[in-house]
Amino acid sequence: MKIFLTGASGLLGRSIYERFLNESDWTVCGISFKRTKPGLTKLNLLEKDAVTNLLNSVRPDVIVHCAAERFPDKVESDPQAAYDLNVGVSTHLANVANKLNVPLLYISTDYVFNGDNSPYKETDEPTPINEYGRLKLLGEKSILDANLENIILRIPVLYGPVESLEESAITYLLIGLQKCQNSNELFKVSNYELRNPSSVNDIANIVFKLVEKKIKLVS
Ligand SMILES: NC(=O)c1ccc[n+]([C@@H]2O[C@H](COP(=O)([O-])OP(=O)(O)OC[C@H]3O[C@@H](n4cnc5c(N)ncnc54)[C@H](OP(=O)(O)O)[C@@H]3O)[C@@H](O)[C@H]2O)c1
């Protein structure tokens, strides 16, 4: 079986890529863009025709869509670029998945909620309070509009093996602590946020199990 995985060079995508690579009955077509590595396929997901052509030639059994602009400040500074990636690309992938008759699993976020009254259930009403959350919710909608049988997985803040300390909100804290230690500068952090950090390896396992279950259901 074959998985088409977007965002395979990212914090979460790297773990999902490894998880499927360890399974002898799976092959992985992992997509990267700027961080190209051996084994990954370089593709700009914004180029719709190139995406359609690659999917038509790979003919995957499932698409897992991880790629996104996920830094809220970058979304705020260029909302159109974030819209194109988080909504436009999701819509296009979902439409192609439909034509190929393959399921799509979309990685979403707890930012679709407003932060009150967590933990959330699937049935809780999303009420995003920033542009990142709003765009990820629009991405979800486009995935389900294309096919109600597609899967949405909303995940919290992630930690795991990083390529730089800035990559995860958890390891980012260390940068501030190091600054304090080295220069006695104050490092300001919020004292009101309650987050639920999750391991990328745990999420990769969940994705694997969901995909296997889905494949069994559709075959
Ligand atoms: N990180 C978190 O704490 C967190 C929490 C909740 C939900 N999420 C969600 O989890 C998913 C994965 O997040 P992440 O933290 O792994 O993200 P990430 O580390 O920022 O990785 C983003 C990925 O998207 C790819 N990408 C960006 N623009 C692209 C383009 N034009 N064409 C092709 N690929 C492109 C990047 O490829 P290159 O780097 O190769 O360019 C990279 O592989 C996202 O959907 C995010 O919303 C993340």
Side-chain angles (χ1 to χ4, degrees):
M1 278 171 303
K2 208 181 282 175
I3 171 180
F4 186 93
L5 171 67
T6 71
S9 50
L11 178 62
L12 176 61
R14 294 194 298 271
S15 272
I16 299 178
Y17 182 79
E18 290 298 327
R19 181 66 186 82
F20 278 84
L21 215 56
N22 285 335
E23 296 291 326
S24 55
D25 45 357
W26 279 93
T27 54
V28 192
C29 176
I31 305 301
S32 63
F33 181 37
K34 291 184 185 150
R35 287 179 283 174
T36 309
K37 290 188 186 109
L40 299 184
T41 303
K42 182 175 174 143
L43 175 71
N44 184 355
L45 291 167
L46 296 169
E47 292 175 4
K48 288 187 181 168
D49 288 348
V51 172
T52 309
N53 291 341
L54 185 61
L55 276 164
N56 279 331
S57 82
V58 171
R59 297 248 148 208
D61 297 284
V62 64
I63 298 173
V64 172
H65 180 32
C66 234
E69 178 47 75
R70 52 93 170 175
F71 290 99
D73 53 333
K74 288 190 189 164
V75 171
E76 301 289 343
S77 67
D78 194 346
Q80 185 58 53
Y83 181 93
D84 292 345
L85 185 59
N86 292 3
V87 185
V89 167
S90 304
T91 307
H92 183 61
L93 281 174
N95 289 336
V96 182
N98 245 6
K99 285 192 185 127
L100 293 174
N101 202 19
V102 294
L104 187 151
L105 186 154
Y106 172 75
I107 302 291
S108 191
T109 169
D110 58 2
Y111 269 91
V112 299
F113 297 111
N114 64 9
D116 293 338
N117 305 318
S118 67
Y120 296 103
K121 297 187 290 298
E122 297 87 332
T123 47
D124 285 334
E125 195 59 39
T127 44
I129 53 173
N130 66 8
E131 195 57 14
Y132 170 60
R134 279 189 283 276
L135 293 185
K136 289 296 287 187
L137 186 60
L138 283 177
E140 287 187 6
K141 189 174 174 313
S142 70
I143 298 292
L144 294 181
D145 280 349
N147 188 343
L148 263 182
E149 299 295 314
N150 284 333
I151 302 172
I152 308 286
L153 182 62
R154 292 172 176 154
I155 57 174
V157 64
L158 296 172
Y159 67 89
V162 286
E163 292 182 339
S164 70
L165 290 178
E166 288 86 357
E167 208 184 8
S168 154
I170 308 304
T171 47
Y172 186 79
L173 293 172
L174 193 58
I175 299 176
L177 291 174
Q178 282 171 341
K179 268 192 199 156
C180 296
Q181 213 176 22
N182 297 340
S183 65
N184 278 341
E185 261 178 58
L186 283 180
F187 173 51
K188 289 190 178 176
V189 289
S190 71
N191 61 357
Y192 59 88
E193 283 178 69
L194 267 181
R195 311 287 297 267
N196 300 284
S198 292
S199 149
V200 288
N201 291 337
D202 288 344
I203 303 289
N205 257 325
I206 291 168
V207 168
F208 180 75
K209 285 182 184 160
L210 280 171
V211 165
E212 287 248 301
K213 200 169 176 185
K214 185 73 179 173
I215 296 282
K216 275 186 197 135
L217 279 177
V218 293
S219 60

